[in-house]
Amino acid sequence: MNALKTILGSVYVILITLLLLMALTNRGNKPNKPKPNTDSMTVVSDTTPVINRDTVTPIDTAELVRRAEQIGATGELKITLLWNFKGDLDLHVIQPNETTIWFLNTKDSETGGFLDEDNKTGGYNSGENVFWTSPPKGKYKILVNYFDHVSRGDIIPQEQGALYVVIKHGEKEDVYQVANIEPGETINIATINI
């Protein structure tokens, strides 16, 4: 009986060691690219599913900030979506009062939020813009929806640098890169508190 316990204990230690080695080996060889988490889908509107993914990485680039400044008006808070491929992408911002600014609700008279640029075709230097001259305090949730792929013959770009969100609050700018969005998806980009 003691011999059997010793053998089982040794096998257990070997299995744990092999599992740890496999995990470390796979972590070193595969890109760290998250997959869609369909268990965490939420609904922004009655028809828009949102996939919560960790697919965005804050980056710092002055060129994108300059591009964002050239799209739409500006205010104390300005959120700009930038892309360089054919496609109808939509910027959605859920404000502290829970009202969403997007192409079906471009202006909120209570908060002063206004979607003043709504690009429906895409292409080089495309953008959408939402701004507030005096934004109310609270949480702003920023989402991007890939509404429609305009030209069916185009390849949806998967390379880095295809899609960005630039958030300017006062003098501070934050740039977020969006990775791997597909037509029909809505992705959470960031939540900011003012």
Side-chain angles (χ1 to χ4, degrees):
M1 185 70 157
N2 284 339
L4 182 58
K5 285 183 182 179
T6 303
I7 292 171
L8 287 176
S10 297
V11 169
Y12 179 73
V13 169
I14 291 170
L15 285 174
I16 295 296
T17 304
L18 287 173
L19 287 173
L20 288 172
L21 286 173
M22 286 176 38
L24 290 174
T25 303
N26 286 340
R27 194 171 106 195
N29 292 336
K30 291 184 180 178
N32 191 9
K33 199 172 198 183
K35 295 184 180 179
N37 182 356
T38 56
D39 294 333
S40 65
M41 291 184 77
T42 56
V43 175
V44 174
S45 68
D46 291 338
T47 59
T48 308
V50 176
I51 299 174
N52 298 320
R53 273 194 257 168
D54 294 328
T55 58
V56 294
T57 305
I59 59 173
D60 181 23
T61 170
E63 177 186 340
L64 291 171
V65 170
R66 282 192 296 276
R67 270 184 62 196
E69 288 172 351
Q70 296 172 357
I71 295 174
T74 193
E76 179 62 25
L77 176 61
K78 175 182 171 80
I79 301 170
T80 310
L81 172 64
L82 302 168
W83 71 99
N84 282 327
F85 57 92
K86 292 182 181 178
D88 183 2
L89 287 106
D90 290 314
L91 178 61
H92 297 222
V93 181
I94 303 172
Q95 306 171 97
N97 68 357
E98 298 297 321
T99 301
T100 302
I101 295 194
W102 62 315
F103 73 91
L104 289 178
N105 184 38
T106 60
K107 187 161 178 82
D108 184 348
S109 58
E110 180 183 332
T111 66
F114 182 45
L115 172 72
D116 66 336
E117 291 288 332
D118 181 17
N119 186 308
K120 296 179 178 140
T121 58
Y124 185 72
N125 272 340
S126 295
E128 294 207 350
N129 187 64
V130 178
F131 75 97
W132 297 257
T133 53
S134 298
K137 302 282 184 211
K139 180 170 64 172
Y140 292 77
K141 187 174 181 181
I142 298 114
L143 306 112
V144 172
N145 171 252
Y146 195 157
F147 186 75
D148 189 29
H149 187 58
V150 174
S151 177
R152 301 287 177 209
D154 285 348
I155 296 171
I156 301 166
Q158 298 297 320
E159 72 276 4
Q160 293 190 1
L163 185 63
Y164 297 95
V165 172
V166 179
I167 302 167
K168 183 171 184 180
H169 178 234
E171 296 300 314
K172 179 180 180 252
E173 297 102 0
D174 292 307
V175 180
Y176 293 87
Q177 184 174 4
V178 182
N180 197 22
I181 189 169
E182 297 291 336
E185 285 186 330
T186 300
I187 298 178
N188 296 322
I189 303 305
T191 300
I192 60 169
N193 288 299
I194 295 180

